[in-house]
Amino acid sequence: MTTPPISPQDSADPTPAPDMSISPESAHTTPRPMADDEPMQLITSFNDVFVVVASALLVFGTVWLTNTLPPWLIALICAALFWGLSEVFVRRRRMALPALFYSFGFIAALACAGFAAIPAMHGYSGASDVHIETRGLAWYLPQLVASYVGIAIGAVTYWRRFRVPATIALGVGGAVCLTWFLVLVAGQDYIGPMRVANIVAGLAIFVWALRWDAQDPQRKTIRSDVAFWLHLLAACMVTHPIFWALMPGYPIAVIAVFVLLTGISLAIDRRALMMSSLLYVISAILSVVVTSAATHALAVVAVVVGGALLLLSALWRPARAVVLKLLPAGWRARLPQ
């Protein structure tokens, strides 16, 4: 979440501003994050946690009390509830964690409403009426299409109204998860092509995230926050299928891919690609170094990898400068400086 800009009336206030000078003591306790640190305000105060817990209880109770209604209507009631709460705690109070919770809940509720509305139109009232074995996959296609429509409507309307940075990534991620559900239901024959499609879609989202980053190289506006969530989604979509194909038979290739992803992360100044592949590289290193006589191998690998990542974090800017020198000048001009 980003802070709304100060209005001209506020900036023209004749009242003398209070002394905002920072004492030497406070300067050491409240450092300002640099652009290289990928600023991300996930929580504004502990009140965010309080509001999210209270909201979850409210939604749970609402669903329980309305369980006699049709499922699509319950989902719409939940969507309306998330929207109303967003008007208070997101649009007015600008609370970060509730914004993430409400945006996810609103999009998911509309997706569920679309999925549940199609059986209601055909006169099916419960889960016992619907079975993959008896109805077949084609029976689910209208429901899935309705869910796609619900996700698109939810993401677009919520973004246009509340400008929550994670909304776009949540909408795209919801569509990806729904597609995977369709593929898993369809059978094993479609999993291989879906992995390839997942990588291609992830690369497209990665390029899209770079375009958002290019509009805010100093990372001071909401565009940078949107890019962060898109990078996180793209990293999961690209790295997981690649490492699934390489593990456990090709540990050296896994380590080589991780090194390549580290270079890309330094170049674009984003750490999502590295974070999404940490478990794989640790597993790969274990498979390389572990022998029958090895003891405490996992602890040793964890110490080595963790120490290396901490060292990279401490030396991020010098390491990134080295990587940028290896890139063409035209590429460097489009990357955060």
Side-chain angles (χ1 to χ4, degrees), residues 71-83:
W72 62 269
L73 183 56
I74 298 176
L76 288 180
I77 291 174
C78 291
L81 189 59
F82 282 121
W83 187 276

Side-chain angles (χ1 to χ4, degrees), residues 9-81:
Q9 290 82 0
D10 295 335
S11 60
D13 189 355
T15 305
D19 183 13
M20 298 300 291
S21 59
I22 302 177
S23 63
E25 293 80 5
S26 62
H28 291 290
T29 57
T30 58
R32 295 184 61 186
M34 298 180 296
D36 287 335
D37 294 331
E38 290 189 79
M40 182 191 66
Q41 190 173 1
L42 188 60
I43 182 171
T44 52
S45 66
F46 189 74
N47 192 35
D48 286 34
V49 180
F50 183 82
V51 169
V52 167
V53 172
S55 301
L57 292 174
L58 177 62
V59 173
F60 172 78
T62 302
V63 172
W64 189 291
L65 293 174
T66 58
N67 62 355
T68 57
L69 298 176
W72 62 269
L73 183 56
I74 298 176
L76 288 180
I77 291 174
C78 291
L81 189 59

